[in-house]
Structures are given as C-alpha cells and as structure tokens.
Amino acid sequence: MSNTAPTIKIQEKEAWTLGTLVISTKLFLGYPRIMVEEGLTAGWMIVLIGTVLSLFAWNGVMALMRKYPGQSLGQIYKITLGKIFGGLVNGLHLTIAFATCLIYMVQFYETICLYVLEGTPKWALVLLFTGLMILGAWFGVIPIARVSVLSFYPVLAAVSTVLILTLGEMNPYYLLPIGGSGAGNILRHGVINLSASIEVIFLPFLTPYLDFDLIALKRAGRSAILCSGVYFALVTLGYTMLFSLPAGLEYLTPFFQISRMAQISLDFQRLEMIFVLAWTFCVFARLAASLSFMSILAKSFTAKIPYRRLAVIFGLTVGLLAYFSEEGSHWAPIVVMWLHSYSFLIVFGLPLLAFGVHVLKNAGKKKVDPVENQI
C-alpha cells in the first residue's frame, strides 16, 4: 500500500469538528458520572480545570510540531528519539488508540442493550455496530472527517435541546456544598482529567492528510478541546442539579438520565431518541475514526504489509471476543481507569520529552567557533 499523501485532504473545519466529536464520545459513555464520583457537587469544576490544562498541553504539542514543519507527529518521534525508541512511542499511541476503541465498543453495546433497545438479539447489534464501523473505516479518515461536519450540528442541537428542556427541573441547591470533595482532591483530579482530551492527539499524526498549516492545526485542536470541554461542564453541571448525589452515582449513562428526566417532566414519549441519535453519531464516528487512525499509524512502521485491512480485521476479532467474554466485565473497568488516570502522561508528556531532546541536540549546533566569527 502506498504511503503517499492523498490529493483530497482534510480542511480545518472538518478537523476541529471531527476532533470535537471524537472527544465528546465520553459525554454519552459515563464521563459526567465519573466527574460526579470524583468531585461530588463540584465535579463540573474538575471538567473546567482539565479543559484549561489540556489547552496548555496542546500548546506544548504544537511547540514541538513547529520545529518540524510538514512532518507528522509519528515522524517527529522517529527523528528526535530515534527509530527504535520513536517506533516504541508510536506503538504506545497505537495501543492506547486500540484500547479506547475496544472499550467504547463494549460500552456502546452494553448501554444500548440495557437502556435503549432491550430485548434486541445480541448478534444483531454486534453485526450492526461492527459493520457500520468497518464500513466507515474502510472509506478512510477523510470521508469520516467530512461526515463529521454534517454530524456535529445535529449533535450540538440535540445536547442543547435536552439541557434546555430540563432547565426548569434543575435545583441549584444540589450544588451545595460548593467545595464538593475538597479543593485538593478537585485539583488532583483536574490534572488527571487531561486524559479527557487525549483523542485530540490524532490530529498531529494526520499532518500529510491536512490541507492547512500548523497555525490552523493549533486552532483546530484548541477549538475541539474548548467546545467539548464546555459541553462536558454544562452536562455535568446540569446532571448534578437534576439528581441528588445518591441518584447521581447510580450506574446509568448520565445523558440518558437527563433525557428521561425531560421526557417525564414534559410528558414526551420516547424523547430519549434525541439521546440515541446524538449518541449514535458520536460513537460511530469515534470508532470509525479510531480504526482509520490505527491503520494509518500502523502503516508507518512498514509499507510492505497491508495494515489497513489487518487493523480492521484484528479490531473486529478482538471486539467480538470482548462482547461475549465473561471476563470483559472484570478487565474493562481496570483499563478504563488506567486510561483515565495515566494516558495523558503518554499523549501530552512524550511530546515534551521529544521537544527536550530536540533542544539538547541543537544546543551545540548554535555554538560557532569564535575564530570563524572573526574571519
């Protein structure tokens, strides 16, 4: 398979909408509930802290990208850290991308079966989810980015509609005490919450597929982090004001709970379909983009093996095993908590390491012999 860049490339608007959709998947898969568990009544503050810190971390990634214009982040790792260690770093990114994709496949399937389409045959859902995901991945990341523009505005409208419909039921007294679980705990989880935005890192890996410069790339990533962060905070805030703390800690998808609250309050039948439509857009885009990203990253190791097809087949096989494995319920929470707590160290920390190596390598080059200066 050729590694040449495509003639039709991703535009800036497509990049930031895709980035927003990919990050925002957490909104529909329990992320607000985790924030409530960690910060109690001040969980929304954790979201804001993590969003601000993610913006600074993204600036650090862009500082490294500016040193190697035209190169993807995967290529930069090989240049600065060497082929072996740089390949290992790219492998870590590939592993994280695959793990998050697999976890979302499992959570998507479980939540649909438990709360939305009860009684639907398991194999029917599995074939539907994996079939559409593989179809999207087969077309590639550029069509996915273009579809994300069409998907973004319905998702934005759906989330906003649910929040507005439940506004009259929100009780601000549920936000007391304002300190939540304590200032120190909120700050600590706010730092860990950088992992909420790690999906934005796929954009620098796609440099050959982008039809804009690094300034626009920085703007696209910043917009994706900021937009998703604001809606994370609003949904977590609304979720906290709609349910008392004990109810807020139940094992239900928070946005689904909010949608049901709107249905009960306004006597609308099946209002949760707003939730289902928005959720489906996000999750299918997330899974298809993940498989496309994994195939692109895997191809960077060698051009002799058709990694694109292998990545899709491998992802499908392991995903099916996860769906039907009895052990899946045991290891999935462990992997989710590890990704939430430590993945930001790899995603945002390694670019800083590569930047430091670049500075050290070029420090000696700037020193010129004084005799040559005199001449």
Side-chain angles (χ1 to χ4, degrees):
M1 298 183 68
S2 176
N3 281 327
T4 57
T7 54
I8 300 177
K9 297 187 177 183
I10 300 173
Q11 304 298 319
E12 180 184 350
K13 183 178 181 180
E14 298 166 349
W16 78 261
T17 53
L18 177 60
T20 303
L21 281 177
V22 167
I23 297 173
S24 297
T25 308
K26 297 180 177 69
L27 184 68
F28 306 99
L29 292 176
Y31 172 78
R33 186 187 67 251
I34 296 176
M35 294 300 100
V36 173
E37 291 175 350
E38 294 177 344
L40 300 182
T41 54
W44 57 278
M45 293 184 183
I46 294 178
V47 179
L48 293 180
I49 294 172
T51 301
V52 172
L53 294 178
S54 296
L55 292 174
F56 281 104
W58 177 248
N59 288 338
V61 175
M62 289 296 98
L64 173 64
M65 296 294 293
R66 285 196 297 270
K67 299 298 181 181
Y68 299 91
Q71 302 290 329
S72 69
L73 186 56
Q75 294 170 327
I76 293 174
Y77 281 140
K78 290 184 177 180
I79 295 172
T80 56
L81 304 178
K83 289 186 177 180
I84 296 177
F85 192 67
L88 177 61
V89 169
N90 288 331
L92 288 175
H93 282 284
L94 182 62
T95 302
I96 290 177
F98 180 78
T100 54
C101 182
L102 184 57
I103 290 298
Y104 289 160
M105 287 172 69
V106 175
Q107 289 181 331
F108 188 26
Y109 160 75
E110 289 180 347
T111 308
I112 280 284
C113 286
L114 289 175
Y115 308 127
V116 182
L117 299 176
E118 298 93 343
T120 304
K122 183 182 296 185
W123 272 104
L125 289 176
V126 169
L127 292 176
L128 173 63
F129 299 160
T130 54
L132 290 176
M133 179 181 64
I134 289 175
L135 181 63
W138 189 263
F139 282 110
V141 70
I142 295 177
I144 295 171
R146 297 199 164 187
V147 170
S148 70
V149 178
L150 301 176
S151 305
F152 175 74
Y153 295 105
V155 170
L156 194 67
V159 176
S160 301
T161 299
V162 170
L163 288 174
I164 292 172
L165 290 177
T166 55
L167 191 61
E169 301 296 322
M170 295 181 183
N171 186 352
Y173 291 110
Y174 284 164
L175 296 177
L176 299 175
I178 298 176
S181 58
N185 192 58
I186 289 174
L187 288 174
R188 180 171 67 88
H189 285 294
V191 173
I192 293 175
N193 197 48
L194 268 76
S195 294
S197 302
I198 60 171
E199 285 82 1
V200 74
I201 201 66
F202 82 95
L203 290 176
F205 279 97
L206 300 180
T207 300
Y209 296 81
L210 305 179
D211 193 25
F212 48 86
D213 57 17
L214 290 177
I215 296 177
L217 176 60
K218 180 179 179 180
R219 188 166 55 239
R222 183 177 59 202
S223 299
I225 294 173
L226 187 60
C227 184
S228 57
V230 167
Y231 269 85
F232 282 156
L234 289 176
V235 170
T236 305
L237 187 63
Y239 178 57
T240 308
M241 288 192 290
L242 281 172
F243 303 96
S244 62
L245 189 58
L249 296 179
E250 292 180 0
Y251 188 74
L252 288 173
T253 303
F255 195 70
F256 182 68
Q257 285 182 280
I258 295 176
S259 299
R260 279 293 177 91
M261 175 65 78
Q263 175 188 346
I264 294 171
S265 301
L266 300 174
D267 198 28
F268 285 172
Q269 291 186 347
R270 308 301 293 175
L271 186 66
E272 67 270 18
M273 287 307 297
I274 295 178
F275 156 78
V276 175
L277 291 174
W279 188 22
T280 303
F281 274 129
C282 276
V283 175
F284 280 147
R286 172 68 173 84
L287 296 178
S290 291
L291 286 181
S292 296
F293 169 68
M294 284 188 286
S295 65
I296 291 170
L297 189 56
K299 279 198 307 179
S300 67
F301 291 97
T302 176
K304 298 179 180 180
I305 301 177
Y307 277 105
R308 182 182 299 277
R309 292 177 175 84
L310 290 180
V312 172
I313 295 172
F314 184 63
L316 171 62
T317 303
V318 178
L320 288 174
L321 291 175
Y323 283 140
F324 298 107
S325 173
E326 295 181 359
E327 299 296 326
S329 60
H330 298 290
W331 59 259
I334 297 175
V335 175
V336 169
M337 291 310 300
W338 186 91
L339 290 172
H340 179 66
S341 300
Y342 303 108
S343 56
F344 77 93
L345 295 176
I346 295 175
V347 172
F348 292 130
L350 288 176
L352 294 179
L353 173 62
F355 186 81
V357 172
H358 166 80
V359 172
L360 292 176
K361 283 184 176 180
N362 291 275
K365 296 181 180 179
K366 294 181 179 180
K367 296 181 180 179
V368 184
D369 188 356
V371 176
E372 294 181 359
N373 281 340
Q374 292 176 3
I375 295 175

